[in-house]
Amino acid sequence: MTAKRLLLIRHAKAKQGNRDIERPLARRGRDDARVIGEWLDRHAVPDLAVISPAVRTRQTWECALAALPTDPAVIVDERLYDNTVGDLIAAVRGCDESVSTLALVGHNPSMQAMAARAQRQSDAGMEALLSYPTSTIGLLDFDGPWASFDPRDGHLVAVEICRGEFGHGVG
């Protein structure tokens, strides 16, 4: 089987107010989203990004994209806004097998819950995993086809809070 990589990206800091789906990124969120892109460039550039339709997730991805060497394909998927682990799993399972690195850009609590289900080699980065604040990335390795993805079969190899400087997580 071919090894796959899954990135679980929680959107960057958003402004308060407005209808939830319409909340844009705050200034700090835009800065943190650029750091997300820098981290992705150094560790795992996705082939495809599946993004919640919320304004803050789309803006997070747009800001992160500026740091990437390629322009990954993008799919906006309502299931990521619905914010359940089951919906995230369904989105992953529907991914084309030609994609080796997949990014999901969405919300808590589903991003954190999905990352927490993966196997871990150690408790390093546990604080980041437990809180999963805005601008956090979880990187899972998975052996097998996307169609049979189960987060419990994945290995969490990095958890990073992208805030101006690296070093808030593990990996």
Side-chain angles (χ1 to χ4, degrees), residues 80-148:
L80 272 66
Y81 187 71
D82 293 341
N83 203 12
T84 70
V85 172
D87 286 329
L88 296 183
I89 292 170
V92 171
R93 288 181 178 169
C95 184
D96 189 274
E97 293 302 327
S98 65
V99 173
S100 61
T101 302
L102 171 64
L104 300 183
V105 185
H107 312 272
N108 256 1
S110 60
M111 290 289 155
Q112 175 186 21
M114 181 101 115
R117 291 181 180 175
Q119 300 172 41
R120 295 179 293 283
Q121 298 289 9
S122 74
D123 288 337
M126 187 58 70
E127 184 178 331
L129 180 60
L130 290 176
S131 60
Y132 224 88
T134 56
S135 303
T136 296
I137 301 172
L139 174 59
L140 282 74
D141 284 343
F142 173 74
D143 289 322
W146 291 124
S148 66

Side-chain angles (χ1 to χ4, degrees), residues 32-91:
D32 291 348
R34 281 188 282 280
V35 176
I36 289 171
E38 293 166 7
W39 191 93
L40 293 173
D41 184 46
R42 291 175 38 188
H43 298 281
V45 176
D47 305 309
L48 172 66
V50 179
I51 302 172
S52 160
V55 170
R56 62 192 177 275
T57 53
R58 290 183 286 127
Q59 289 179 338
T60 295
W61 184 248
E62 290 165 9
C63 291
L65 193 57
L68 299 182
T70 61
D71 194 1
V74 173
I75 297 172
V76 176
D77 190 325
E78 192 74 37
R79 293 176 293 190
L80 272 66
Y81 187 71
D82 293 341
N83 203 12
T84 70
V85 172
D87 286 329
L88 296 183
I89 292 170

Side-chain angles (χ1 to χ4, degrees), residues 133-167:
T134 56
S135 303
T136 296
I137 301 172
L139 174 59
L140 282 74
D141 284 343
F142 173 74
D143 289 322
W146 291 124
S148 66
F149 175 77
D150 185 323
R152 295 170 296 190
D153 295 332
H155 296 273
L156 187 66
V157 296
V159 182
E160 187 69 44
I161 302 169
C162 295
R163 298 258 170 88
E165 294 182 14
F166 298 124

